Amino acid sequence: MENFKKDNIQYIKGVGPKKANLLTKLGIFTIGDLLEHYPRRYEDRSQLKMINNLTDGQVENFKARMMNCAESKPRRGLQITKITVGDSTGTVQLVWFNQPHRKKIYGLGAEVLVTGKVKKIYQVEIQNPEIEMITDMDTLEAGYITPIYAANESITQRFLRNLIRQILTEYNATAEILPPIIIKQFSLLDRKTAFENIHFPLNMDVLKQARRRLVFEELYLLQCGLLYIKKQNRSNTIGIKHGPDGCLVKKVSEQLPFSLTEDQQKVLLEIALDMEDTKPMQRLLQGDVGSGKTVIAALALAKTVENGYQGAMMVPTEILAEQHYSTLSNLFLPLGIRVKILTGKLPKRTHEQVVADIKSGLVDVVIGTHALIQESVEFQYLGLVITDEQHRFGVRQRAKLQEKGNMPDVLVMTATPIPRTMALTVYGDLDVSTIKQLPPGRKIIKTYVRGSDRRQLVYDFIEKEVNSGRQAYVVCPLVEESEKVNALSAVELYDELLKTELVNISCGLVHGRMKSVEKDLVMDRFYRGEIKVLVATTVIEVGVNVPNATVMIIENAERFGLAQLHQLRGRIGRGDHQSYCILLSDNKKPETQERLSIMAKTNDGFALAEEDLKIRGPGQFFGIRQHGLPDLKIADIINDIDVFLEARQAAEKTVARPESFDMLRPALQVRFGKEFSMIFSS
């Protein structure tokens, strides 16, 4: 395993430097990458059709001969290439747009295998079909379940198939890496058979078994790695043992203007038990927008301070840092807890003074941005590290802040609800706590989906709310107008609203291309109520808390994922007044309408997260790559849940036995790469 993964694809017979460079564009650098370039689908070519039996609207496979080629240029910038192919029963027009090279590839009279969606109008036509030349050497392809790979113009399907078949035949690239006991316990195919049948299946049943084996292996290695990290954090280190809650935590609790929900109390107990243990806390706290995570963070910080330690809270934006600083200052300063803020925009002298005070222990709690992980920042006795909106930070940033102390407790918080399987995958090295209940008295945000024909009524409603003393957000997907994307831009809409619907209302504009100082100035004016309507991009997605804002208009709502729409909606509904979210979209696609209607039906972020994961897949949903985890090549977290749970169970047993885990080290170092190699070699 270790050797085959490292073998550069360039040195395989029939590849060479030129082909190797083209393969890298498909993400194939090594023999291992090639074997894991799994087919994206399969075609059963054992039953090829005659042309007169092709079905309109269906993807069909048939064998034919090239008969003639014609080109036309109906307008500037459009060139159509049509090749006629036929068999003894009829003919088909194969059509390509702006691909004139097609006529040079196929010679007249050549026998080809054609795959594509049939369109019957005046004649039988297939646009952009997949074509393979049939030679005496290659005719056997037509009688088997054929793999179809992600490919390109230069790397053809046949080239990939021949190369993979060569690897499977001539190289020892599929050596077994799973323990025999696990293969037996879970009735898995051996590795060699699995790879042979994922690429060239004998039948659909063995293909299913091959996929299950490889999905299991991928998830098993991932879980072994994460559980090992978790075990190392627990067993090989002695952290800070906090004492039971004392007077300071009690005083902070008494200052709260509300009672904690059952979920908050449960999570607080889990955190307290972690902090009172000698093993360093490594806990993820996930809670929906407005569920009260900041209160939990405040009580945890108070606990570390009353035990004589410092607490640090890192957030992704200066706006969020300032809001947390304001909230915690009001709570802590009357009780003598010294709070400071550290961000990039502090004046140099102030910045230096805060850094000096942190080092000398004159600061109890510091809230900051990435500025906290600068080398110049040193703590006297750091006891608790909190990262808020964790999905905005990578693994290394989280670790860097932790390294500022001597094994401090770590609390990771996110307002992006994560389905359980996703949490175990992305945060398998952490214990997971969840707040699902919203504080009592919070009104449900009313959400509506409307077309642009109702835009005038929507902006009339904004005016009505503003005249009643409220404020509103208008969110656009783009900063500026684009020729490539048909969507409203924030700059364009802002200029339009100033002249039309909102001519008599104070408006502000904020987007990611503005300088931080300009952005913060606008946000501050909106926070203080000077600006009534804020036109923005998704820069307001996280950490903006304006209780007086009751309306959220999202233009071109179809361009956002469910999780992002929910985060945006979470900017309102923070005060005593009823709030409204209006999703504007003219997209009539059924899947788009279904997605937006889900938003209108539920305010449950966890339910929306499950739907978003199903619709967009784990990569798009959460951006696994930034967490330092390897990409999933074949596993599907939603549809492979049963295999996932089996793999997790097997991984727990393996990690519990040092001798079993040691056998996996080479495979784990390959799977995780340089990000975790130091951990696994320890």
Side-chain angles (χ1 to χ4, degrees), residues 87-130:
D87 63 13
S88 60
T89 68
T91 61
V92 175
Q93 292 283 323
L94 308 182
V95 183
W96 291 271
F97 302 96
N98 293 326
Q99 296 183 45
H101 62 280
R102 289 285 176 181
K103 65 179 182 293
K104 300 174 185 176
I105 299 176
Y106 316 111
L108 297 183
E111 193 173 22
V112 292
L113 195 62
V114 182
T115 302
K117 190 172 183 178
V118 176
K119 196 174 183 181
K120 290 185 177 180
I121 310 174
Y122 304 109
Q123 58 189 1
V124 183
E125 183 179 281
I126 298 178
Q127 294 182 2
N128 299 309
E130 289 183 7

Side-chain angles (χ1 to χ4, degrees), residues 225-242:
L226 290 169
L227 289 168
Y228 179 76
I229 296 167
K230 187 174 184 176
K231 183 182 177 183
Q232 289 295 93
N233 286 337
R234 293 292 181 81
S235 60
N236 288 1
T237 53
I238 296 176
I240 296 165
K241 181 177 172 61
H242 289 82

Side-chain angles (χ1 to χ4, degrees), residues 226-326:
L226 290 169
L227 289 168
Y228 179 76
I229 296 167
K230 187 174 184 176
K231 183 182 177 183
Q232 289 295 93
N233 286 337
R234 293 292 181 81
S235 60
N236 288 1
T237 53
I238 296 176
I240 296 165
K241 181 177 172 61
H242 289 82
D245 290 349
C247 293
L248 193 57
V249 172
K250 186 179 178 185
K251 286 178 182 177
V252 172
S253 298
E254 289 171 349
Q255 281 204 154
L256 298 175
F258 47 78
S259 299
L260 297 181
T261 64
E262 284 184 23
D263 275 6
Q264 286 175 315
Q265 290 174 21
K266 177 173 173 286
V267 165
L268 201 56
L269 178 61
E270 290 170 344
I271 291 170
L273 291 173
D274 280 355
M275 292 179 73
E276 290 163 22
D277 197 338
T278 54
K279 295 172 184 174
M281 174 171 70
Q282 297 280 329
R283 185 167 290 277
L284 166 69
L285 171 56
Q286 59 168 343
D288 210 342
V289 175
S291 61
K293 296 181 300 300
T294 307
V295 172
I296 302 298
L299 291 165
L301 288 166
K303 187 179 183 73
T304 204
V305 171
E306 77 174 0
N307 278 268
Y309 297 100
Q310 294 167 296
M313 187 175 189
M314 184 167 70
V315 298
T317 66
E318 292 184 344
I319 293 170
L320 187 53
E322 287 167 3
Q323 290 188 350
H324 278 321
Y325 174 65
S326 173

Side-chain angles (χ1 to χ4, degrees), residues 548-560:
N548 193 47
T550 57
V551 182
M552 168 68 68
I553 310 298
I554 303 178
E555 296 275 1
N556 297 107
E558 76 280 355
R559 300 193 68 81
F560 301 92

